[in-house]
Amino acid sequence: MRLKIYGKSWLDDDAIAAWIFLTPALILLGVFILWPIIYLFYLSFTAGNFTAAGVRWVGARNYLRLILTSDFWQVIGNTIYFTLATVIPSLIIPLGLAVLLNRSLALRGILRTAYFIPSITSLVAAGLGFRWLFQPDGPVNSLLNYFGVSPIPWLGSTTWAMPVLILLSIWKQLGFNLVVFLAGLQAIPLNLYEAAQLDGANEWQQFWHITLPGLKPSLVFATVTTAIFTLRSFEQVYVITGGGPLNSTNLLVYYIYDQAFAQFDFGYAAAAATVLLAVTLVLVYLQLRVWGEEQG
């Protein structure tokens, strides 16, 4: 006997087979994604740690602490600054490079590979490299000294430490976005450019009226993925600055890590992680919304 809803069978042979094949994936999804999210949300309403004393329910106290803690708002400000300063160049620079590489066939494959290498490089290894480059007696200050510029305490300055992290993040994300934009450019029909040239459109007009509209799905995807990449940044801070100096490079993920595994305040850290999760879900929703409108 088949169960029917609104006149349609959802337990016929094909549906049963589909559920059988989907069940292992759904179990893994529930165990490793859904359950941790539910447990994180539960922990955000508790206090204590995973010792014999256990945890206790405190309601919304952790979220109230977030609102009233000045360090948390400084971390939010650092994260917003870091995200905006990383996302914008990480879109503009690879977009320009993609347009140039798409027009020039010579060495395009080699250059595309060279630009993509940072994306597959270990972020920890890259962070150690940047830490060496920006040491007080490192190569960057040696180069500045050659041109008569006084050495800059890059990693010891509240002004210059964050730009070092931003530079590393841009370098890391550039190759991935470049490949995304190249794929989007190659999907734009060439006859659109030919028609625009016959109508007398210059290169800027072609870029503004053909290239950018044609790259809208790629731009949305690259913007959201880059924003998520920057929001979850941890290795850069951990390896290079440790959140200093004076908390000036402390980002939200590192703040969560410090509260959970240095201060052992798991409930408060879970509340901060829930805020990060909410922001990420909003970004994903916006991407799906824009993508759905584009497909429609």
Side-chain angles (χ1 to χ4, degrees):
M1 180 178 179
R2 298 178 179 178
L3 182 60
K4 293 185 177 182
I5 298 180
Y6 300 112
K8 295 183 179 180
S9 174
W10 63 280
L11 280 182
D12 55 15
D13 294 339
D14 292 337
I16 292 175
W19 280 109
I20 291 175
F21 286 111
L22 285 174
T23 297
L26 292 175
I27 293 174
L28 291 175
L29 180 69
V31 171
F32 293 104
I33 296 180
L34 297 180
W35 169 246
I37 291 175
I38 295 172
Y39 191 62
L40 171 72
F41 189 66
Y42 161 73
L43 279 181
S44 69
F45 293 97
T46 65
N49 51 52
F50 299 110
T51 62
V55 297
R56 65 184 186 280
W57 183 267
V58 295
R61 187 181 302 173
N62 290 321
Y63 292 96
L64 183 61
R65 282 180 58 195
L66 287 178
I67 296 174
L68 299 178
T69 302
S70 59
D71 284 348
F72 175 74
W73 289 109
Q74 182 182 3
V75 169
I76 292 295
N78 293 342
T79 305
I80 293 173
Y81 166 41
F82 176 79
T83 301
L84 292 177
T86 300
V87 170
I88 295 174
S90 295
L91 296 175
I92 295 176
I93 296 174
L95 178 58
L97 291 173
V99 171
L100 293 176
L101 289 178
N102 192 54
R103 294 182 178 181
S104 176
L105 295 177
L107 301 178
R108 182 171 64 181
I110 296 176
L111 290 174
R112 183 168 53 190
T113 302
Y115 285 124
F116 191 73
I117 287 176
S119 297
I120 59 176
T121 302
S122 167
L123 195 51
V124 173
L128 291 173
F130 268 69
R131 183 175 179 177
W132 169 72
L133 287 172
F134 288 93
Q135 287 294 316
D137 56 349
V140 173
N141 276 334
S142 298
L143 181 62
L144 293 176
N145 186 54
Y146 177 80
F147 289 102
V149 180
S150 301
I152 298 175
W154 297 98
L155 304 181
S157 168
T158 55
T159 302
W160 294 107
M162 183 67 84
V164 173
L165 299 183
I166 292 170
L167 182 62
L168 171 58
S169 299
I170 294 172
W171 176 82
K172 178 70 175 176
Q173 192 68 14
L174 187 146
F176 178 82
N177 288 347
L178 173 66
V179 172
V180 171
F181 290 145
L182 273 175
L185 287 171
Q186 293 170 7
I188 300 175
L190 293 177
N191 58 359
L192 296 178
Y193 293 100
E194 295 171 354
Q197 291 173 0
L198 291 176
D199 289 337
N202 56 37
E203 291 188 358
W204 171 251
Q205 290 172 330
Q206 294 177 39
F207 175 79
W208 188 257
H209 295 287
I210 298 176
T211 304
L212 280 183
L215 283 177
K216 182 179 177 182
S218 300
L219 284 168
V220 172
F221 174 77
T223 301
V224 174
T225 54
T226 304
I228 293 175
F229 167 75
T230 56
L231 285 174
R232 67 173 181 80
S233 294
F234 170 79
E235 295 92 335
Q236 303 98 309
V237 183
Y238 184 82
V239 173
I240 298 178
T241 64
L246 299 178
N247 216 36
S248 61
T249 61
N250 197 353
L251 302 180
L252 186 54
V253 174
Y254 187 83
Y255 182 74
I256 294 169
Y257 160 80
D258 181 68
Q259 293 298 319
F261 300 105
Q263 309 300 326
F264 296 101
D265 195 346
F266 292 106
Y268 180 73
T274 303
V275 172
L276 176 62
L277 175 64
V279 173
T280 305
L281 290 177
V282 169
L283 290 175
V284 173
Y285 169 77
L286 292 176
Q287 179 192 12
L288 295 176
R289 179 81 176 267
V290 174
W291 177 259
E293 291 178 354
E294 181 71 19
Q295 295 298 103

